[in-house]
Amino acid sequence: MTICMGPAENVEPETFMTNPGNFILFVTDNHARNFLGAAGHSHVRTPNLDSLAKRGVLFKNAYAATTLCCPARAAIATGLYPHRTGFWDNATMYDGSVRTWHHHLRDAQVSVAAIGKLHYRSAGDDNGFSEEIHTMHVVGGIGSPLTLLRATEGGVPSRAGHKAIYGNSGPGQTDYQIYDRQITERAIDWLRRNADNPEPWALIVSYPSPHPPFRADQEFWELYPPEEMPLPPTWDAPNRFDHPAVAYLAWMNQVSAGLDESFLRDAYAGYCALITQTDAEIGKVIDMADEFGLTDTTRMAYTSDHGEAIGAHGILGKANLYEHSAGVPLILAGPGLPEGKTVSDCVSHVDLFPTILDLFDVPNETGGNLSGISLLQVIEGQHDPRPGFAEYHAMGSVNSSFLIRQDNWKLIYHVDMPNQLFDLASDPNEACDLLAGGSTHPKEAELKGLLRRQVNPEALNARSKSDQLARIEELGGLDMVRNAGSIAASPIPGKEVLLEKI
């Protein structure tokens, strides 16, 4: 049984090595927490990430700060939740205005390089890196203006491109798989050039996969026959769209009529295949780090910006706070860290900032103003367990929503809509909302109180919409934003964006 608020498993208080060494952070896009061999998934194969977990620490209850690319990546960088920074969505993205852990390391004379997908505003901003190599940022420094319409009375319009991109699942490749290989090549080249550097360094290696479309090389596709895929138990549940927030998300993405089983099996198989292919790319970098003699001096971490529903609750993508979308894999391994350890405490993207500073023994100059704590404290059992928390204020939502979890009890708080309550011990798939149909439960009040000690949901809903409306005006007004088109997938460096007209 998962006890989110319980202590780390099999941990005796001890002090792990935190003297400066090297650090590699692997980041992917769209990788759900449970789609990992080390997490016990019945089908997906992730041998390289499983191996990393075996020689390190697996956090089995890690949460994204929010479930959309740009604001999630901003939280990883800044150590602050979206409500602390105002980076709400894919049109109000990280812009260099808030100091990151990259800035702190660079100021401490630690070289910090980034390769691959960052999804910040621009490489022209000071994002805190010593160098950016072949990085992906939002289109034109503007991103996806359509997401801002969630602040208007009409909201974001229904769009066909979202479902269509999942229909492009199968053997083969898209630009993202080409970019994945380019990222791996550049990461290996960077390691080759820096392997003998006596000074400590940090490297981000960030892949766009497994973001849809779910196309993978034939060798990986063949591992996952669609007819053998274990579809989520809630994919066609009669009550899957009963909650108004889920019904709106399904309407916006044109899946309200339900998902065809054959369509979903292909998408599910493609998702698993692409995860395995991305795992192989990460494995190439890890193997070369070992070949270059870096294993004994280099800590490594792995996470993803958010998860993926892949049919659970009848939806595709993210933009919600169910476990499949808010839960992310998180692994920390390397010299001085325990091996083969699993930690059950709830942890978050925002914990990476203080963790990385700890690993380099660099002081936190934010004045203790971070949202998270060092994962080393969690591993060592030196900090009381915290509630799980996440928030969402972007495309696919009518109003802001918040996740608060204590032990196995989880509340999804919806501003001006009914809340949802789940007992994850007996209902890990969140199939049974204990507040559905106007039902009551004593845990709701308890979790609402816990949430309100952290944030004011209604105030943040109003502030996020106010900021989004102001951004609409900055971009030229409603007509410009409505006519900007929808971006289903950001283009890789050197490619033009393909817009879906609404």
Side-chain angles (χ1 to χ4, degrees), residues 440-462:
T440 61
H441 196 287
K443 276 292 178 181
E444 180 187 13
E446 181 181 338
L447 291 173
K448 282 170 63 176
L450 192 61
L451 174 65
R452 289 191 176 280
R453 286 197 288 274
Q454 294 189 208
V455 296
N456 181 328
E458 287 70 26
L460 292 181
N461 180 58

Side-chain angles (χ1 to χ4, degrees), residues 395-413:
M395 179 183 286
S397 67
V398 176
N399 295 315
S400 297
S401 56
F402 302 83
L403 176 166
I404 192 77
R405 176 178 172 184
Q406 185 176 42
D407 298 327
N408 283 310
W409 292 99
K410 174 182 170 183
L411 181 75
I412 302 179
Y413 185 101

